[in-house]
Amino acid sequence: MNKLVHQFILLPLAIRVLQHDKKNFSDFKMRNVYQGKIDSSITQLQQDLSFTKKLMYTQNHIDVKQIAQCSYRWSSRHDTGVITYTPGELKDMTRKVIEVYLYGSKSTAFEPRDQGW
């Protein structure tokens, strides 16, 4: 259950970071090399987030709400709690998630884009 809650918190953060980075790549001359990989990783992250939400809500009946910038309240049928991170912890955990999706065990094959120069 704890792993699901952490995924529910970290996956959207990783998606936002990659989407922001994708915008920054638009100024690169060789942006097509990077955009295909980032798009593939974002798609995989979104699929995993959808699966995580499904597990949380339908099977485990866990609800998570952000109560402060780095604090989240979770509740299930039998228990409730608060998870608090430091900004540095969130940054480090999000970086690790992104690494796994870009070139780790969750890395997926992607089709390079040929959009010209």
Side-chain angles (χ1 to χ4, degrees), residues 36-77:
K37 182 63 176 173
I38 289 179
D39 287 341
S40 172
S41 297
I42 290 172
T43 301
Q44 184 65 40
L45 280 161
Q46 289 170 335
Q47 290 172 354
D48 288 352
L49 178 60
S50 177
F51 181 72
T52 299
K53 285 180 179 180
K54 182 179 176 182
L55 284 177
M56 282 181 55
Y57 297 139
T58 60
Q59 291 182 0
N60 297 319
H61 307 287
I62 302 170
D63 187 37
V64 178
K65 301 283 184 203
Q66 186 172 5
I67 57 175
Q69 185 176 359
C70 298
S71 294
Y72 300 85
R73 178 181 311 279
W74 63 272
S75 59
S76 66
R77 290 182 177 173

Side-chain angles (χ1 to χ4, degrees), residues 1-2 10 15 25-26 29-31 49 56 71-72 83 93 97 102 107 110 113 115:
M1 177 171 76
N2 206 14
L10 294 173
I15 291 169
F25 285 135
S26 65
K29 291 194 186 283
M30 297 291 291
R31 67 184 161 269
L49 178 60
M56 282 181 55
S71 294
Y72 300 85
I83 299 173
M93 290 186 299
V97 168
L102 285 178
S107 178
F110 68 98
R113 292 187 172 186
Q115 298 176 342

